[in-house]
Amino acid sequence: MEKALKYIEENKQRFLDELFGLIRIPSVSADPHHKEDMHRATEYLKKNFLASGAGKAEVIATAGHPVVYAEKIIDPALPTVLVYGHYDVQPADPLELWDSPPFEPEIRDGKIYARGADDDKGQMFMHVKAFEAMTKTGTLPANIKFMIEGEEEVGSPSLKQFCMDHKNKLSADVILISDTTMIAPDVPSITVGLRGLAFMEVEITGPNRDLHSGLYGGAVMNPANALAKMIAALTDSDHRITIPGFYDDVLEISEEERKEMAQAPFDLNAFKKSIGIDKEAGEKGYSTIERTGIRPSLDVNGIWGGYTGKGAKTVLPAKAHAKISMRLVPDQKSEKIAGLFAEYFPTLAPEGVKVKVEYLHGGEGYVSPITSVEYKAAAKAIEQSFGKKPVPVRSGGSIPIVAVFEEVLGVKSILMGFGLDEDAIHSPNESYPLFNFYKGIETIPWFYHFYSQMKHA
Ligand code: BES
Ligand code: MN
Ligand code: MN
C-alpha cells in the first residue's frame, strides 16, 4: 500500500492536469450538438486507460452515446471489480450565472470549478488514477473492469440493452461507483439507497392560436391557468401525492430503522441556510432526511407557455407545458407509476382543454445491504483514510443503471461517493474540492486491499 500511496503523492499534479483535459471536452449528453464531443471524450478516456496500464480499452457503440470499456485481468481466479462511472455531463446553462467558463476548469479556494468537476468526471477519474497507481506499482490485488457510460444524465436509455448484450464482458463480483455524496469531509458516509424516477412531460392545448387576452379573456379556458390548477391538485396540503395508487407499493420502513436513520448527523439550519430558504417543506410526519431518503416526491422541473420575454404582452396562450418528475422509493416501479400518472392527470383537466402526457424516462430505486463483504471493505477503506467510520445513508438522487446492474447482471453495487452537497452538481459553478479528489484516489486502493483480504479470509 505504501508504494501506491507514494506513487499518488508523486503524480498529484499530472492527475489533475489529465482530469482538466477531460473536463475541457463539453460532453453534454442531452444536446445533439455535442455528439462529436461525446466521441472525443471516449477517445480521451480510452487513451488514458491504456497509458494507465489497462490490458484492453475500447469504445463500444450503443444505440445512443458510446461506452468506454477497459480492463486489467491479472488472474481469473481472483475476484473482479467492475467500476462504473459516466463521462457525460448536464448542460451548463444558464451560462451567465457562472463565475468562470464551465468548460475551462479553474481552481479557487482549493476547489475545482467546472461542469463535471464532481458529477461525474472528477469522481470517476479518481478510479482511473487509483487504478494507474496500483498497476504501475504492481499492487493491484484483483481484476478490474471499467464501464464508463455517456447517457447517465439523460436516463441511460441504451444501457439495459448494452448490459444484456455484454453480460459476459461485464461479469464481476461487485460494482464500485463514485457518483454520490458524503455527509461532509469530516463525516464520511456510504450511500446505501437511491431513489427511482419517473419523468413526465405534459402539454395542455386550448384554442387553435394565441389569443388577445382582452378580446377573449374570461370566455375561454386558458391552458396555462388549467395547467397551474392541475399541478396544484397533484399534491394535498400535507404534501402527499394524490395520484390514486401512488403509495400502494411504497415499502414502509420500520420504527427501528427510522430511529437508526435519525442517528446520521443532519443540521436542518445549515441545510436551510445553504440553499437560502427559511422553512423546509415536505410530507407530513417525516423528517427532512426521511423525505428525501425513504419517501417519494413529485416536482415540476420546468413550466412554460405564453409570453415569457421581457415586458408585457397581453396574450392568452394556445398551449402550456410542464416537465414533472416523480422520485420513487422501493418497491415502486417507474413504469407503473408513469401509467398511474398518465391515467390520472387528464382527469384533472377543466372543460375546454386537451391534455397530452408523455413518459420521457424512468428508473428504479436501489438499496444495498450493510452486512456484505463489499460494504465492509468500503467502510474499512474509508475508516483507514478518513480516520472515522462511515455512516450509511439513503440518498434522494437516482442512478438508474444501478438497479439494471442488479437485474441483468445479478451484481450489487457499492456507492462510495466523495461529492458534497455544496458542490452544486447540475447548477452553475459546480465544484469539487481538491481534498476530496485526492482523498478519493487514496481511499480506492484501500478498498481493493481490504476487499481482497476479506475475500481470501
Ligand atoms: N450523480 C447523480 C446522482 C446522485 C447525486 C445521487 C448525488 C446521489 C447523490 C447523477 O448523475 C444524476 O444526476 N442522476 C439523475 C438521474 C436522471 C437523469 C435519470 C438524477 O438523479 O436526477
Ligand atoms: Mn452522476
Ligand atoms: Mn448528474
Side-chain angles (χ1 to χ4, degrees):
M1 275 304 298
E2 290 87 66
K3 277 195 224 155
L5 295 177
K6 182 160 172 269
Y7 184 93
I8 293 167
E9 187 56 40
E10 287 167 356
N11 290 279
K12 272 179 124 170
Q13 186 57 46
R14 180 174 54 81
F15 289 176
L16 189 64
D17 293 343
E18 289 178 15
L19 170 63
F20 278 21
L22 179 63
I23 287 176
R24 285 194 188 97
I25 304 169
S27 42
V28 179
S29 49
D31 184 351
H33 289 116
H34 288 288
K35 196 161 188 272
E36 197 41 48
D37 293 319
M38 305 308 281
H39 284 274
R40 281 174 53 216
T42 56
E43 287 303 324
Y44 186 95
L45 278 169
K46 177 181 158 183
K47 275 201 202 109
N48 203 289
F49 274 122
L50 291 172
S52 301
K56 179 161 128 189
E58 53 190 352
V59 176
I60 308 176
T62 72
H65 298 303
V67 168
V68 184
Y69 175 82
E71 64 174 34
K72 175 131 186 128
I73 307 297
I74 53 171
D75 178 354
L78 287 173
T80 300
V81 177
L82 172 63
V83 176
Y84 162 85
H86 62 95
Y87 67 86
D88 66 322
V89 297
Q90 287 274 328
D93 43 307
L95 288 175
E96 65 278 12
L97 295 184
W98 285 78
D99 296 330
S100 55
F103 297 106
E104 288 170 32
E106 198 176 287
I107 295 179
R108 296 194 300 274
D109 313 323
K111 296 178 186 183
I112 310 162
Y113 281 89
R115 172 58 84 234
D118 164 333
D119 185 13
D120 180 40
K121 286 175 175 172
Q123 293 215 57
M124 172 267 286
F125 204 65
M126 298 180 318
H127 287 268
V128 186
K129 295 299 99 178
F131 167 67
E132 179 190 322
M134 291 185 284
T135 55
K136 299 287 167 161
T137 55
T139 56
L140 180 66
N143 302 309
I144 296 199
K145 296 175 175 181
F146 284 90
M147 174 185 150
I148 313 297
E149 70 145 314
E151 298 190 326
E152 198 279 338
E153 299 293 7
V154 291
S156 303
S158 317
L159 264 277
K160 186 165 185 182
Q161 190 60 48
F162 180 87
C163 290
M164 295 195 293
D165 292 346
H166 300 277
K167 240 179 127 159
N168 282 334
K169 181 174 259 183
L170 300 173
S171 68
D173 296 280
V174 63
I175 296 164
L176 184 61
I177 304 176
S178 293
D179 192 23
T180 50
T181 50
M182 50 198 278
I183 296 175
D186 58 343
V187 191
S189 56
I190 295 180
T191 299
V192 293
L194 292 166
R195 287 198 285 186
L197 180 71
F199 199 104
M200 318 296 294
E201 184 163 329
V202 300
E203 181 191 82
I204 312 296
T205 305
N208 59 10
R209 60 184 163 89
D210 286 4
L211 302 173
H212 189 289
S213 68
L215 295 180
Y216 293 91
V220 174
M221 188 64 226
N222 178 331
N225 293 24
L227 177 59
K229 283 194 179 157
M230 293 165 74
I231 289 170
L234 286 172
T235 47
D236 67 16
S237 57
D238 289 337
H239 298 268
R240 280 186 60 98
I241 295 149
T242 56
I243 301 168
F246 185 86
Y247 290 95
D248 282 2
D249 301 325
V250 169
L251 196 74
E252 299 292 337
I253 307 291
S254 70
E255 277 309 312
E256 199 185 321
E257 233 183 300
R258 287 181 72 181
K259 272 201 197 108
E260 235 166 79
M261 276 185 77
Q263 299 300 307
F266 177 75
D267 182 339
L268 185 58
N269 282 322
F271 168 83
K272 290 189 287 191
K273 208 174 150 212
S274 73
I275 53 172
I277 58 166
D278 37 60
K279 183 73 189 141
E280 77 284 7
E283 188 181 353
K284 196 175 165 190
Y286 294 92
S287 71
T288 295
I289 297 196
E290 289 177 334
R291 285 168 180 170
T292 59
I294 59 166
R295 300 300 295 170
S297 58
L298 181 149
D299 277 285
V300 175
N301 293 252
I303 180 164
W304 68 102
Y307 182 69
T308 55
K310 282 202 187 349
K313 181 188 178 199
T314 47
V315 69
L316 196 159
K319 283 182 191 293
H321 310 253
K323 292 184 190 280
I324 298 173
S325 70
M326 290 167 281
R327 294 283 169 168
L328 312 176
V329 298
D331 290 324
Q332 290 178 298
K333 292 279 168 275
S334 56
E335 293 242 345
K336 179 175 172 191
I337 295 293
L340 293 177
F341 180 98
E343 230 173 87
Y344 180 60
F345 192 67
T347 68
L348 299 171
E351 285 181 340
V353 293
K354 287 197 258 326
V355 181
K356 210 167 92 188
V357 177
E358 209 185 332
Y359 175 36
L360 295 191
H361 64 72
E364 314 309 331
Y366 179 72
V367 271
S368 127
I370 59 170
T371 46
S372 67
V373 167
E374 289 76 17
Y375 181 88
K376 285 181 182 153
K380 253 192 126 176
I382 288 177
E383 188 178 356
Q384 173 76 40
S385 68
F386 286 80
K388 269 185 199 169
K389 277 200 171 63
V391 187
V393 292
R394 288 210 196 195
S395 170
S398 308
I399 308 176
I401 189 72
V402 175
V404 173
F405 282 149
E406 185 165 17
E407 182 195 333
V408 177
L409 305 178
V411 185
K412 280 275 188 185
S413 295
I414 295 294
L415 300 157
M416 191 168 74
F418 297 93
L420 301 175
D421 283 336
E422 69 233 38
D423 290 348
I425 62 172
H426 296 202
S427 302
N429 301 312
E430 175 177 350
S431 66
Y432 192 42
L434 288 170
F435 173 85
N436 296 48
F437 178 64
Y438 290 124
K439 203 68 168 170
I441 299 177
E442 285 165 26
T443 306
I444 291 163
W446 283 114
F447 170 80
Y448 289 86
H449 174 81
F450 291 123
Y451 180 54
S452 65
Q453 241 181 27
M454 291 174 176
K455 276 293 238 195
H456 285 123

